Amino acid sequence: MGSGSIKEFYLDLNPLTLLRSSNREFAETLILFAYMVIFAVVCYKITMVLVERIKPAPDPVHEYNRRKVARMGFLLVFGIAYLPVIFSSLSLLPTVLGLAGAGIVISLKEVWLNMVGWFMIMGANGFKVGDRIEIDNIKGDVVNIGFFKFTLLEIAPDPRFEQSTNRLIHFPNYNIVLHRFFIVSETMDFVWDEFRIFLDLKSNWEKAEKICSQILHEELVLAPELVESKIREMSKNYLVRLGKTTPIVYTSLEPEGTILLCLRYLTPIRSKRLNRILISKEILTKFKEENDIYIHTH
């Protein structure tokens, strides 16, 4: 191979020559693309080395997150910057760019859904920090809302207690679009709870019912004006009818040969367990004083 041929071969493969050419063949476009990928990888490696030297990551988790964000950023920036260069010599440039744009939209589907979810959260039917929500069978208090994710402080799944597990759970915002969710907001922060007591058939159930009703009305009745004010506030966005809001005791005969006293009352969501403790202590104290009331034990 002569020196002239070597020079021509070098010029044909020179990235600057390929970049300046407006009538590249398909093979030359592939070669240019390979050069640009190598250039992007080198830039990424150099950047990460400099960042680690200037500000080292405090732990492996931060290092992993930093590299992940950097990879995504480089991929997005170089991808957008390279599109006009790669396809500048193609006659079907608008079509190719349209297909490339569609591919980007599809590949970033979760990002767009996260944005839609954020607007839904911020809307009138969404929630805010401090609200208690349940989504995808997980319940928790909202402690942070971001543009792409929100965070819950998990609540134990046992519905009787509503106690925090002290674990943070991060949800991408698109979960709001894909799953139904339940809200206990600060505007209406109380719920109906039921406390059940089983008595033997030989028990004086009328006396037991009266004692339970007195306990509910003395200890746990919410101020009617508080309930009404919260209902009025919530009625600005929803048609809310709670009906009867005072505590009540339902008595029924169960198939197992027992008498069931079901104590139903409104309670602030964050005082649910405390109120159950108060009810239990009062019932145990009052029933202990009676000799004709027998709590059924299975």
Side-chain angles (χ1 to χ4, degrees):
M1 181 181 295
S3 58
S5 299
I6 295 176
K7 184 178 181 180
E8 292 177 2
F9 179 76
Y10 170 77
L11 291 176
D12 289 340
L13 295 181
N14 189 298
L16 296 178
T17 303
L18 295 174
L19 190 61
R20 287 195 297 264
S21 175
S22 59
N23 296 313
R24 293 188 298 272
E25 297 180 357
F26 181 72
E28 292 175 332
T29 301
L30 288 180
I31 295 172
L32 179 61
F33 179 73
Y35 279 132
M36 299 176 81
V37 170
I38 295 172
F39 176 74
V41 171
V42 171
C43 289
Y44 167 76
K45 294 292 185 181
I46 294 175
T47 301
M48 294 310 301
V49 170
L50 293 177
V51 169
E52 288 299 325
R53 287 182 177 273
I54 296 173
K55 189 176 181 181
D59 54 59
V61 175
H62 282 79
E63 183 178 0
Y64 168 79
N65 292 331
R66 176 187 291 176
R67 289 183 176 275
K68 185 176 181 180
V69 172
R71 281 195 296 269
M72 293 298 296
F74 268 86
L75 182 62
L76 185 62
V77 170
F78 279 101
I80 294 175
Y82 284 179
L83 283 177
V85 176
I86 294 298
F87 300 118
S88 60
S89 62
L90 300 180
S91 59
L92 298 177
L93 178 61
T95 303
V96 173
L97 288 179
L99 293 174
I104 292 174
V105 171
I106 294 174
S107 64
L108 298 177
K109 177 184 67 175
E110 291 186 358
V111 175
W112 308 126
L113 284 176
N114 283 334
M115 295 180 182
V116 172
W118 182 83
F119 283 107
M120 291 180 62
I121 293 172
M122 293 293 111
N125 296 323
F127 51 83
K128 61 183 181 298
V129 173
D131 288 350
R132 179 163 294 185
I133 72 169
E134 180 178 350
I135 182 170
D136 199 19
N137 296 321
I138 297 176
K139 185 183 297 185
D141 293 325
V142 181
V143 294
N144 183 58
I145 299 175
F147 198 58
F148 295 105
K149 68 177 181 180
F150 62 94
T151 304
L152 301 183
L153 182 63
E154 186 189 31
I155 301 299
D158 193 329
R160 296 174 298 171
F161 305 131
E162 302 286 341
Q163 290 292 107
S164 171
T165 65
N166 208 32
R167 297 192 304 183
L168 294 177
I169 303 178
H170 303 284
F171 282 92
N173 288 344
Y174 67 73
N175 282 275
I176 299 302
V177 182
L178 302 179
H179 300 94
R180 62 181 181 178
F181 58 96
F182 307 91
I183 306 175
V184 178
S185 68
E186 289 187 334
T187 305
M188 183 75 83
D189 61 348
F190 49 84
V191 294
W192 284 107
D193 192 22
E194 292 187 357
F195 190 94
R196 298 186 176 190
I197 306 170
F198 291 91
L199 303 178
D200 289 339
L201 284 176
K202 57 184 178 180
S203 298
N204 186 340
W205 62 267
E206 295 98 334
K207 184 189 292 186
E209 182 184 65
K210 183 178 180 180
I211 291 173
C212 291
S213 181
Q214 289 176 346
I215 291 173
L216 290 183
H217 284 82
E218 291 174 1
E219 300 291 338
L220 298 174
V221 63
L222 291 174
E225 60 272 14
L226 175 62
V227 177
E228 290 298 325
S229 65
K230 287 182 175 292
I231 291 176
R232 284 196 302 271
E233 181 67 23
M234 202 168 186
S235 296
K236 295 177 181 179
N237 297 318
Y238 308 97
L239 180 60
V240 178
R241 293 191 182 97
L242 282 184
K244 184 179 178 66
T245 59
T246 55
I248 189 171
V249 179
Y250 294 103
T251 304
S252 62
L253 185 62
E254 295 299 295
E256 296 82 4
T258 58
I259 299 171
L260 171 63
L261 300 181
C262 184
L263 289 65
R264 180 174 168 84
Y265 54 93
L266 280 172
T267 176
I269 187 68
R270 290 171 176 80
S271 302
K272 193 173 182 179
R273 187 169 194 177
L274 176 61
N275 285 337
R276 279 180 167 265
I277 293 173
L278 292 175
I279 292 175
S280 300
K281 289 182 177 180
E282 286 295 314
I283 288 175
L284 291 172
T285 301
K286 297 292 185 181
F287 283 7
K288 188 177 181 180
E289 298 172 356
E290 307 296 333
N291 56 9
D292 55 353
I293 299 177
Y294 309 100
I295 297 178
H296 179 75
T297 56
H298 298 281

